Amino acid sequence: MIRPIVKYPDPILQRPTELVTEFNDELRTLANDMFESMYAAKGIGLAAPQIGVGQRLTVIDLSNKEKPDEKIVLVNPEVIETQGRQYEEEGCLSLPEIREKVVRAAKVKVKAQNLDGEWFEMEGEELLARAFQHEIDHLDGVLFIYRLSGLKRDLILRRIRKLQRTGEW
Ligand code: NI
């Protein structure tokens, strides 16, 4: 089921999520809904709070549905190692049409559980490393605009408020 994407400034996007403790059909359905909602919105990553669910769960698919083996589900993920630095443009389905360059680690290793509750580790670089960091930030209640300088962030927040006033946000 496609669920609507929650937009900034909804408070659920700015609160840390709860750990997932039940690995059941409900969790599977939630993960499936997240993939469907992400594909419908043409995204490559989606965190549970973005469909209004405050749980520590994110899905990523850099191929955007083209390659089924590129579907990644991370339950209760943590970044356990970082290396290097990259500075590339990011966007977010909860901040439509806002794109800015963000400083991130170039390579990260994450630890997470799968939908059966089994722990695994996974490494990513470049775009995948960015997706890991961006999505895990969501689970901590952090949006990418909080990773920008205060000046850039203020300009974006002003732009959003203006769009809100004209009913375009
Ligand atoms: Ni995002």
Side-chain angles (χ1 to χ4, degrees), residues 29-72:
T29 304
L30 175 60
N32 277 332
D33 285 358
M34 286 170 62
F35 276 114
E36 275 188 52
S37 309
M38 177 179 84
Y39 293 141
K42 305 236 180 298
I44 56 167
L46 191 76
Q50 294 184 277
I51 54 162
V53 177
Q55 292 206 58
R56 201 163 177 88
L57 166 70
T58 179
V59 301
I60 293 169
D61 181 355
L62 300 187
S63 82
N64 199 282
K65 218 180 177 173
E66 294 299 309
K67 300 178 193 151
D69 59 339
E70 291 203 6
K71 286 171 83 169
I72 299 169

Side-chain angles (χ1 to χ4, degrees), residues 101-120:
K101 284 181 125 185
V102 184
V103 177
R104 299 283 190 189
K107 202 171 161 184
V108 300
K109 191 192 271 185
V110 298
K111 186 181 104 175
Q113 283 166 288
N114 64 19
L115 289 169
D116 296 316
E118 295 155 351
W119 287 96
F120 65 97

Side-chain angles (χ1 to χ4, degrees), residues 44 60 62 72 74 79 81-86 90 103-110 122-137:
I44 56 167
I60 293 169
L62 300 187
I72 299 169
L74 303 176
V79 173
E81 267 178 53
T82 65
Q83 215 182 305
R85 179 184 178 276
Q86 57 174 322
E90 284 182 29
V103 177
R104 299 283 190 189
K107 202 171 161 184
V108 300
K109 191 192 271 185
V110 298
M122 199 173 175
E123 275 184 1
E125 26 190 324
E126 298 175 6
L127 181 58
L128 184 56
R130 281 210 300 286
F132 283 156
Q133 292 167 89
H134 179 113
E135 300 309 330
I136 292 174
D137 263 0

Side-chain angles (χ1 to χ4, degrees), residues 45 50 91-94 134-135 138 143-144:
Q50 294 184 277
C92 180
L93 294 175
S94 295
H134 179 113
E135 300 309 330
H138 269 299
L143 296 168
F144 84 91

